[in-house]
């Protein structure tokens, strides 16, 4: 059986529903088998398959319905219609699966609803959010009531985590990690390839707290405890104070953001150097099955020619308002360090922040934010935050350099998705993130807004 090592976000629900005592699995999905490290034998504690392909004989049965992928990337005007159509189909399919399990004599049948970015919760529980009533994914489970992998991890946290952890709802993150929110701490649980993200985050937090300046340390959570229980790895992280970052930031907040990014870029420890823009272009071309050469390769060559020699440093990797905490109008915290890495080009975190604020302000796709927002922004020479950041890291940010960084940023984000989360590279993802930018690439490699 193929053993892909890519992270599968649609498996984020597993710790919440998988019995902790299960040791053998029978699944008909190669990616799920890889996540569970299943051998595919006939005897199994747990069988996971669509209801029409169940073979029976396992102690527990799990029937996944829907992918869990929701309205991410859609304009707000289309969200309600898509949720009504797709969420209704998932509910109907889950109800049909539950009826079929009852007809074959299964007991203790329960349906759990979930979606990426949302809660994993029993269908019978109260559902205050539309996403819980009309989910994009569901799992129908039968078999004896027993502690789950998440229950086992929570017991380990109570034993090893120091102060008592009071768990809130579990959320399936787009990274493939299950997040459990508590009043004083955050718990992350991962199975299979997604465990590498917990290791990456712990390494970044340790580096910052050992070598970072007060500008970083005061705004970055500390890892309180880590461990491995059965199939799952987990990490318990300090919860920081602060609320959601505003769409229209104050000058004081922008100043804090720039100071933080400059200090992060200068953090000690620069290995390894991240892929070049040309390497990102090759990754994207393979994933999207694009022909060799052409505008994509030309864009990468043009950008690399201008970016060669820029100082490399640490990057957060997903520096956008959703990962920033604000208190009293100032930057109070920066969370979700799973994509952090050393040896990165400067400005990419700042471009991510600018792009997301453009997206939120104009209800735009990522491609639209790049073409209609970042490219004109770069050709104007950026803004005050770009000038302050360039001065702080000792770089002269010309409009041409900023435009080359926009190309590098777009390629890095697309290539990262293609490399780490290949299931995201769908026709819809291409239409929303790839094709418009490819169409805007001129023969000389520059982007035409």
């Amino acid at each position: 059986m193929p053993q892909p090592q890519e992270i599968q976000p649609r498996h984020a629900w597993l710790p919440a529903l998988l019995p902790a005592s299960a040791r053998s699995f029978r699944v008909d999905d190669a990616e799920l088998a890889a996540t569970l490290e299943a051998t595919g034998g006939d005897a199994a504690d747990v069988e996971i398959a669509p209801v029409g392909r169940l073979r029976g004989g396992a102690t527990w049965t799990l029937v996944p319905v829907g992918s869990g992928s929701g309205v991410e990337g859609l304009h707000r005007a289309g969200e309600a219609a898509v949720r009504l159509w797709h969420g209704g189909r998932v509910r109907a399919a889950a109800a049909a699966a539950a009826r079929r399990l009852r007809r074959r004599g299964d007991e203790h049948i329960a349906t759990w609803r979930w979606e990426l970015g949302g809660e994993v919760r029993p269908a019978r529980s109260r559902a205050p959010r539309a996403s819980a009533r009309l989910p994009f994914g569901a799992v129908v489970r039968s078999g004896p009531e027993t502690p789950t992998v998440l229950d086992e991890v929570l017991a380990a946290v109570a034993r090893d985590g120091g102060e008592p952890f009071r768990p809130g709802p579990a959320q399936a993150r787009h990274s493939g990690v299950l997040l459990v929110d508590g009043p004083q701490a955050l718990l992350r649980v991962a199975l299979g390839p997604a465990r590498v993200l917990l290791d990456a985050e712990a390494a970044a937090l340790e580096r910052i707290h050992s070598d970072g300046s007060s500008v970083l340390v005061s705004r970055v959570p500390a890892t309180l405890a880590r461990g491995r229980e059965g199939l799952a790895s987990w990490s318990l992280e300090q919860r920081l104070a602060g609320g959601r970052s505003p769409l229209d930031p104050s000058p004081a907040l922008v100043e804090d953001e720039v100071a933080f990014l400059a200090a992060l870029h200068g953090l000690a420890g620069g290995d390894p150097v991240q892929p070049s823009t040309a390497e990102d272009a090759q990754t994207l071309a393979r994933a999207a099955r694009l022909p060799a050469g052409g505008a994509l390769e030309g864009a990468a060559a043009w950008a690399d020619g201008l970016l060669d020699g820029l100082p490399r440093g640490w990057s957060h990797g997903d520096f956008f308002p959703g990962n920033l905490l604000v208190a009293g109008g100032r930057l109070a915290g920066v969370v979700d360090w799973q994509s952090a890495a050393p040896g990165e080009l400067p400005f990419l975190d700042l471009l991510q922040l600018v792009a997301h604020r453009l997206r939120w302000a104009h209800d735009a796709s990522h491609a639209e934010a790049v073409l209609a927002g970042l490219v004109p922004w770069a050709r104007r020479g950026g803004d005050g935050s770009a000038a302050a950041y360039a001065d702080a890291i000792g770089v002269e940010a010309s409009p041409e350099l900023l435009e080359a960084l926009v190309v590098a940023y777009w390629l890095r984000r697309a290539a990262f998705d293609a490399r780490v989360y290949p299931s995201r590279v769908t026709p819809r993802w291409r239409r929303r993130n790839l094709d418009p930018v490819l169409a805007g690439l001129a023969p000389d490699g520059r982007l035409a807004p």
Side-chain angles (χ1 to χ4, degrees):
M1 181 177 289
Q3 295 292 309
Q5 292 302 304
E6 296 89 354
I7 295 168
Q8 299 295 336
R10 62 191 181 91
H11 299 163
W13 56 267
L14 280 168
L17 298 183
L18 203 65
S21 59
R23 292 296 179 265
S24 59
F25 308 92
R26 183 167 65 239
V27 298
D28 68 349
D29 180 285
E31 293 170 346
L32 183 56
T35 295
L36 292 174
E37 302 172 6
T39 59
D42 290 335
D45 297 326
V46 179
E47 181 176 19
I48 307 177
V51 69
R53 296 206 289 270
L54 292 172
R55 293 160 54 187
T59 305
W60 294 277
T61 298
L62 300 177
V63 180
V65 177
S67 66
S69 299
V71 295
E72 182 186 18
L74 292 180
H75 290 289
R76 285 189 288 267
E79 289 183 5
V82 171
R83 182 173 294 284
L84 182 64
W85 178 78
H86 194 82
R89 285 170 58 92
V90 167
R91 288 189 63 174
R99 288 194 298 269
R100 188 158 177 175
L101 291 178
R102 291 190 186 95
R103 285 198 298 269
R104 75 173 197 172
D106 285 22
E107 297 180 343
H108 304 290
I109 298 170
T111 299
W112 290 66
R113 298 173 183 170
W114 76 282
E115 68 181 62
L116 293 174
E119 295 177 7
V120 182
R121 62 192 311 165
R124 65 180 181 274
S125 65
R126 295 182 62 189
R129 296 175 52 209
S131 59
R133 292 190 294 269
L134 292 170
F136 283 88
V139 180
V140 183
R141 184 181 70 180
S142 68
E145 295 292 336
T146 187
T148 65
V149 170
L150 178 58
D151 292 329
E152 187 177 56
V153 168
L154 288 170
V157 170
R159 182 182 67 242
D160 303 334
E163 295 185 7
F165 175 68
R166 298 193 298 277
Q171 300 176 1
R173 309 299 289 177
H174 290 86
S175 60
V177 173
L178 191 72
L179 175 70
V180 183
D181 198 351
Q184 304 296 328
L186 302 175
L187 174 66
R188 289 182 169 86
V189 186
L191 274 66
R195 293 196 301 260
V196 72
L197 298 179
L198 302 190
D199 295 336
E201 178 164 42
L205 298 183
E206 181 180 357
R207 170 69 67 177
I208 289 171
H209 280 274
S210 63
D211 298 327
S213 66
S214 60
V215 171
L216 298 176
V217 173
S218 63
R219 297 183 172 106
V220 174
T223 300
L224 303 176
R226 297 179 63 200
R228 177 80 182 262
E229 296 296 324
L231 296 173
S233 293
W234 60 270
S235 66
L236 188 68
E237 174 186 302
Q238 172 192 12
R239 182 182 179 90
L240 300 178
R244 188 185 182 97
S245 178
L247 179 63
D248 186 17
S250 67
L253 178 56
V254 172
E255 180 181 343
D256 288 346
E257 292 166 347
V258 169
F260 184 92
L261 290 178
L264 177 62
H265 186 264
L267 183 66
D271 293 328
V273 172
Q274 299 306 306
S276 67
T277 305
E279 290 170 324
D280 282 338
Q282 292 168 4
T283 297
L284 186 56
R286 286 193 300 269
R289 300 180 181 178
L290 300 174
L296 190 63
E297 186 175 306
W302 173 76
D304 274 339
L306 289 168
L307 303 178
D308 183 44
L310 282 180
R312 298 270 181 157
W314 274 85
S315 169
H316 178 274
D318 198 14
F319 198 83
F320 82 110
N323 285 335
L324 308 183
L325 300 174
V326 175
R330 308 303 297 256
L331 183 65
V334 180
V335 299
D336 283 352
W337 288 84
Q338 297 169 355
S339 302
E344 187 59 275
L345 287 167
F347 280 94
L348 300 191
D349 281 337
L350 183 62
L351 288 169
Q352 173 84 335
L353 182 60
V354 173
H356 271 271
R357 282 180 172 148
L358 288 169
R359 289 184 65 181
W360 289 6
H362 302 288
D363 189 19
S365 70
H366 189 258
E368 290 167 343
V370 170
L371 293 172
L374 288 183
V375 173
W377 176 90
R379 291 177 179 172
R380 293 193 302 267
D383 56 15
S385 64
Y389 178 76
D391 183 63
I393 65 171
V395 170
E396 185 176 346
S398 66
E400 189 176 38
L401 180 67
L402 289 176
E403 188 174 351
L405 284 162
V406 168
V407 172
Y409 159 75
W410 170 72
L411 279 170
R412 176 56 48 81
R413 296 300 305 174
F416 180 84
D417 279 353
R419 182 173 63 253
V420 181
Y421 308 112
S423 60
R424 294 183 184 179
V425 186
T426 63
R428 189 179 86 175
W429 180 90
R430 282 196 54 154
R431 289 193 300 270
R432 296 285 292 171
N433 297 281
L434 184 59
D435 293 343
V437 182
L438 289 176
L441 286 172
D444 64 358
R446 301 182 69 169
L447 282 166

